């Protein structure tokens, strides 16, 4: 940065980053008073301190916070110099949802895909929401107070809020949501609220949460309306009247839009909720979400103006430069909080490993593990990112991503057993009985239509580097998830987004009981899913209880290192978060939250 304004911005960001980490780690409230923690809106300083204490604050996030709202989102680029369109309240927006043929559910208790909660965030509310400037703010909570020990949080709820069906919102809805979400039989996100011991109704507009231990990420993760999901508030009345299946299609919320149509395979329609608590929002009258699984039809649709915005899964990498060259399109690129990987089925030959609970040296003596490690060490991440992603990504060696701040181990690429060492990989494969790939069976890589190019690069890499054949098994994303959950694959390309806390990385993916770890498998023939390690389970459970961020970081990095070394998956990269829309759309900086597509402030020119 040579521009004086940019130098001043970086200096300000560095100073705020330093101050955010200047606190007494022996204080269970991480150096914040209860006044600092009370609502209705946390200051940027407080949110940065909370994120620093939780270990999730990065300098890039602080730069973006200091630049907002005057500057464009950090990393944003816009093709062309088209004049800004004249915006107006109202209008209809058509959004293409990339890489998927249908939106299966909008019930937050069952949402397991970013592309689902991107839509649900426009329909349902939480006690809190967070914006790109890292400022925590109330959603259904107008303000809150915290006890001196940080274990009791009292939330005052908005008065006069109604559900989309006209029923009044009250504390009973918060209590119902908590009781439903803490039950793993009803919610796949029960682990998110494990630290909340009780949710108590004080009166119709007041609730109290009782915690087992102080939690820095409570407001910005657990209670946040989108990525947290366990405490995304749902209507007991609507669930009972509609039934679970229909509620998943047309949930009744208190958010800025209401669902008016949802047919599997045909998309979702939401319309402005006239009685939303903020009379200035939403701006749009109607939004139609159209699933478009194939890359080329997606590109043709936005270039022709048939759709005005792309959400859902990331657009295929080969389309981005094409979009950037189009003066009618805006391409916003920011640091993505997630990971991507190639998962290896440990119950199939020749990669079989029936017990990961052994020292690494013992595992290395087993042929099945030799094959897994050979596949991992023959994967050239730099080449893959350049060829498959056109340089948009960062080499990955675990589920913990750079957006998680100091939890992210910047040296793991140097010490991971998965680091690229081609000659070692070739020797491992030979030692397992397949010299030069001779006699090695053809493997199928399960991937989606947008993942075709990446899959072809992977297949070519393994043919060139190990002499083995990988064929693509291309299926719609929802079918891929079904096969993944039942462990019906050899190799599977899959990953995660919207992950800002180690719980997202470890609890959701790497524990034996993780919600994505083959939950629908045949447990008689497969005692665990794609990975199971007792030490990782224990470290993950322990890190969640620690108040000291440095102690927590040590356990997180230890667990992440084990999953990398024992090849829980071939971790490929950390992706870039990309949002594409036409120039007639005004998508304000205030709404540019990585991983989300909040449309309540979006406008479109007539």
């Amino acid at each position: 940065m040579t521009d004086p304004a940019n130098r001043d911005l970086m200096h300000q960001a560095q100073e705020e980053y330093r101050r955010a980490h200047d606190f007494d780690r022996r204080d269970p409230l991480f150096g914040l008073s209860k006044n600092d923690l009370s609502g209705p809106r946390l200051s940027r300083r407080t949110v940065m301190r909370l994120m620093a204490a939780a270990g999730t604050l990065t300098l890039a996030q602080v730069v973006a916070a200091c630049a907002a709202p005057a500057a464009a989102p950090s990393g944003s680029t816009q093709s062309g110099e088209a004049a800004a369109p004249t915006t107006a309240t109202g209008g209809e927006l058509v959004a293409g949802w990339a890489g998927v043929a249908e939106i299966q559910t909008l019930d937050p208790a069952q949402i397991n895909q970013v592309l689902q909660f991107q839509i649900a965030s426009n329909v349902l509310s939480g006690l809190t929401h967070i914006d790109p400037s890292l400022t925590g703010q109330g959603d259904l909570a107008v303000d809150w107070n915290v006890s001196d020990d940080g274990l009791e949080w009292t939330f005052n709820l908005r008065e006069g809020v109604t559900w989309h069906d006209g029923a009044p919102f009250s504390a009973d809805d918060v209590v119902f949501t908590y009781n439903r979400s803490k039950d793993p039989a009803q919610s796949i996100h029960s682990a998110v609220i494990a630290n909340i011991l009780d949710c108590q109704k004080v009166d119709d507009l007041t609730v109290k949460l009782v915690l087992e231990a102080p939690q820095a990420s409570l407001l910005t993760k657990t209670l946040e309306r989108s990525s947290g999901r366990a405490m995304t508030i749902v209507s007991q009345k609507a669930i009972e009247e509609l039934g679970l299946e229909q509620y998943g299609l047309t949930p009744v919320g208190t958010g800025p839009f209401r669902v008016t149509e949802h047919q599997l395979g045909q998309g979702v329609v939401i319309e402005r909720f006239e009685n939303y608590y903020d009379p200035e929002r939403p701006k749009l009258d109607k939004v139609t979400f159209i699933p478009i699984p194939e890359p080329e039809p997606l590109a043709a649709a936005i270039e022709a103006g048939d759709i005005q915005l792309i959400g859902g899964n990331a657009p295929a990498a080969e389309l981005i430069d094409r979009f950037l060259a189009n003066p009618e399109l805006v391409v916003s690129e920011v640091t993505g909080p997630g990971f991507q990987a190639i998962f290896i089925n440990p119950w199939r030959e020749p990669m079989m490993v029936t017990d990961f609970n052994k020292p690494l040296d013992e595992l290395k003596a087993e042929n099945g593990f030799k094959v897994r490690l050979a596949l991992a060490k023959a994967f050239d991440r730099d080449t893959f990112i350049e060829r498959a992603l056109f340089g948009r990504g960062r080499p990955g060696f675990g589920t913990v991503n750079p957006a998680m701040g100091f939890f992210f181990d910047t040296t793991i690429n140097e010490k991971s057993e998965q680091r690229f060492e081609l000659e070692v990989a070739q020797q491992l494969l030979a030692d397992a009985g397949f010299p030069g790939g001779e006699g090695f069976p053809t493997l199928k890589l399960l991937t989606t239509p947008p993942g075709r190019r990446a899959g072809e690069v992977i297949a070519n890499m393994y043919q060139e580097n190990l002499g083995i054949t990988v064929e693509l098994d291309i299926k719609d994303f929802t079918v891929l998830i079904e096969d993944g959950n039942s462990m019906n694959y050899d190799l599977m390309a899959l990953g995660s987004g919207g992950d800002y806390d180690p719980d997202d990385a470890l609890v959701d993916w790497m524990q034996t009981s993780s919600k994505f770890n083959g939950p629908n498998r045949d447990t008689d023939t497969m005692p665990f899913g794609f990975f199971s390690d007792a030490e990782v389970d224990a470290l993950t459970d322990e890190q969640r209880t620690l108040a000291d961020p440095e102690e927590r970081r040590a356990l997180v990095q230890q667990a992440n290192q084990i999953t990398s070394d024992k090849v829980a998956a071939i971790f490929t990269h950390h992706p870039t978060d990309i949002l594409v829309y036409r120039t007639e759309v005004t998508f304000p900086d205030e709404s540019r939250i990585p991983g989300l597509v909040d449309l309540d402030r979006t406008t479109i020119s007539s």
Side-chain angles (χ1 to χ4, degrees):
M1 292 186 179
T2 58
D3 183 84
N6 285 334
R7 286 200 301 270
D8 291 344
L9 174 64
M10 181 57 70
H11 177 75
Q12 177 191 356
Q14 289 172 334
E15 181 61 22
E16 291 200 23
Y17 183 81
R18 183 195 64 77
R19 287 200 300 265
H21 287 87
D22 182 18
F23 57 86
D24 185 356
R25 289 174 172 81
R26 297 170 298 179
D27 183 351
L29 289 182
F30 307 108
L32 295 172
S33 71
K34 65 179 183 179
N35 288 333
D36 290 326
L37 294 169
S38 297
R41 182 182 178 92
L42 298 184
S43 68
R44 187 169 76 192
R45 168 191 166 275
T46 297
V47 175
M48 286 185 181
R49 178 65 63 82
L50 285 172
M51 296 182 74
T56 59
L57 184 67
T58 66
L59 182 58
Q61 290 170 320
V62 181
V63 171
C66 292
S74 177
S76 293
T77 55
Q78 179 172 333
S79 59
E81 295 293 335
T86 301
T87 59
T89 299
E92 299 182 6
L93 176 75
V94 181
W97 240 231
V100 64
E102 62 183 13
I103 311 299
Q104 288 189 319
T105 185
L106 298 177
D107 180 354
Q110 300 303 319
I111 285 175
N112 61 2
Q113 301 169 23
V114 171
L115 60 92
Q116 295 167 337
F117 72 65
Q118 286 177 342
I119 297 176
S121 180
N122 291 282
V123 175
L124 302 165
S125 306
L127 293 178
T128 65
H129 199 34
I130 193 167
D131 63 29
S133 70
L134 309 184
T135 302
Q137 53 184 305
D139 193 5
L140 290 178
V142 291
D143 56 37
W144 51 88
N145 295 290
V146 187
S147 63
D148 289 335
D149 60 7
L151 298 180
E152 293 187 357
W153 294 65
T154 302
F155 292 85
N156 297 311
L157 307 178
R158 290 187 186 276
E159 187 174 0
V161 173
T162 62
W163 293 92
H164 296 157
D165 61 7
F169 162 75
S170 75
D172 291 325
D173 299 306
V174 181
V175 175
F176 170 78
T177 298
Y178 168 77
N179 288 327
R180 179 183 190 236
S181 294
K182 75 176 181 179
D183 179 2
Q186 299 186 69
S187 172
I188 64 174
H189 309 297
S190 57
V192 174
I193 55 174
N195 189 47
I196 303 178
L197 298 179
D198 195 15
C199 177
Q200 304 168 357
K201 174 184 177 180
V202 178
D203 56 43
D204 284 346
L205 292 176
T206 311
V207 293
K208 178 187 292 186
L209 300 183
V210 181
L211 308 188
E212 181 176 9
Q215 182 179 344
S217 61
L218 181 70
L219 294 173
T220 56
K221 171 179 168 55
T222 305
L223 304 182
E224 204 270 331
R225 81 183 187 206
S226 305
S227 56
R229 283 168 280 172
M231 286 301 292
T232 303
I233 308 302
V234 295
S235 166
Q236 179 178 7
K237 173 177 176 288
I239 290 174
E240 292 174 347
E241 291 180 351
L242 296 174
L244 289 176
E245 182 177 353
Q246 186 61 40
Y247 186 82
L249 295 175
T250 56
V252 173
T254 60
F257 295 93
R258 57 187 180 89
V259 180
T260 56
E261 184 178 345
H262 183 185
Q263 297 183 31
L264 292 179
Q266 298 184 33
V268 181
V269 178
I270 61 176
E271 297 183 11
R272 172 195 286 149
F273 178 42
E274 298 291 347
N275 295 321
Y276 186 52
Y277 68 74
D278 182 352
E280 299 299 319
R281 294 181 286 157
K283 308 292 187 181
L284 295 167
D285 294 317
K286 179 180 178 181
V287 182
T288 301
F289 302 93
I290 302 176
I292 306 178
E294 296 285 349
E296 189 54 41
L298 180 76
I302 197 165
E303 289 166 344
D306 296 331
I307 63 175
Q308 291 88 40
L309 179 145
I310 296 176
N313 290 318
E318 61 267 27
L319 298 177
I320 305 306
D321 286 338
R322 171 172 159 184
F323 291 159
L324 282 166
N326 189 331
E328 296 181 341
L329 300 180
V330 177
V331 179
S332 172
E333 301 182 59
V334 298
T335 301
F339 76 93
Q340 293 292 312
I342 303 169
F343 288 85
I344 310 170
N345 194 329
W347 302 105
R348 293 192 177 179
E349 294 288 2
M351 307 90 65
M352 184 173 287
V353 176
T354 59
D355 184 8
F356 286 94
N357 291 295
K358 299 175 182 179
L360 189 57
D361 288 342
E362 289 186 23
L363 283 173
K364 286 182 176 180
E366 299 180 7
N367 285 340
F369 187 79
K370 289 177 184 177
V371 170
R372 295 175 70 91
L373 189 55
L375 292 171
K377 295 185 80 64
F379 188 81
D380 185 345
R381 288 158 182 80
D382 291 332
T383 297
F384 171 78
I385 290 170
E386 185 61 34
R387 291 182 180 176
L389 307 178
F390 299 88
R392 292 181 173 88
R394 177 170 177 171
F397 291 87
T399 56
V400 177
N401 69 69
M404 294 181 187
F406 76 36
F407 280 123
F408 180 69
D409 187 350
T410 57
T411 65
I412 193 171
N413 61 315
E414 301 169 1
K415 57 191 179 186
S416 170
E417 290 286 342
Q418 296 199 29
R419 63 190 181 275
F420 179 62
E421 293 178 321
L422 184 54
E423 291 184 1
V424 176
Q426 293 169 341
Q427 187 62 53
L428 283 166
L429 195 65
D431 292 345
F434 306 101
E438 183 179 348
F440 197 88
T442 296
L443 298 179
K444 289 191 174 184
L445 172 63
L446 182 61
T447 189
T448 60
R452 181 187 297 273
R453 179 185 178 86
E456 290 173 348
V457 172
I458 292 168
N460 289 336
M461 186 178 296
Y462 281 130
Q463 182 64 53
E464 293 175 4
N465 291 350
L466 294 179
I468 65 177
T469 300
V470 174
E471 295 180 350
L472 302 189
D473 183 13
I474 298 176
K475 296 183 179 180
D476 177 69
F477 189 71
T478 54
V479 179
L480 178 145
I481 292 296
E482 292 174 359
D483 284 351
N485 286 343
S486 59
M487 298 298 297
N488 182 28
Y489 59 87
D490 296 330
L491 306 173
M492 176 177 64
L494 188 64
S496 184
D499 300 343
Y500 290 97
D501 187 87
D503 283 357
D504 294 316
L506 297 175
V507 176
D508 287 358
W509 289 93
M510 291 290 107
Q511 285 193 300
T512 304
S513 60
S514 291
K515 59 189 177 185
F516 300 130
N517 197 353
N520 300 333
R521 69 189 184 277
D522 180 353
T523 55
D524 290 334
T525 59
M526 295 177 281
F528 58 88
F530 53 74
F531 182 71
S532 174
D533 184 272
E535 186 176 6
V536 171
D537 290 347
L539 289 167
T540 301
D541 286 338
E542 185 178 357
Q543 62 86 23
R544 305 185 74 198
T545 67
L546 297 179
D548 189 313
E550 292 185 356
E551 292 180 12
R552 189 182 182 210
R553 175 177 61 179
L555 298 189
V556 166
Q557 292 188 353
Q558 185 180 351
N560 194 49
Q561 186 75 49
I562 293 171
T563 65
S564 190
D565 291 343
K566 291 190 175 182
V567 197
I570 302 168
F571 301 105
T572 60
H573 66 288
H574 302 293
T576 300
D577 185 86
I578 299 173
L579 182 68
V580 182
Y581 51 94
R582 293 185 59 83
T583 53
E584 60 262 31
V585 174
T586 298
F587 195 96
D589 295 345
E590 190 174 359
S591 298
R592 186 61 175 104
I593 306 170
L596 295 182
V597 187
D598 284 355
L599 297 169
D600 52 332
R601 294 180 173 87
T602 295
T603 57
I604 186 168
S605 60
S606 58

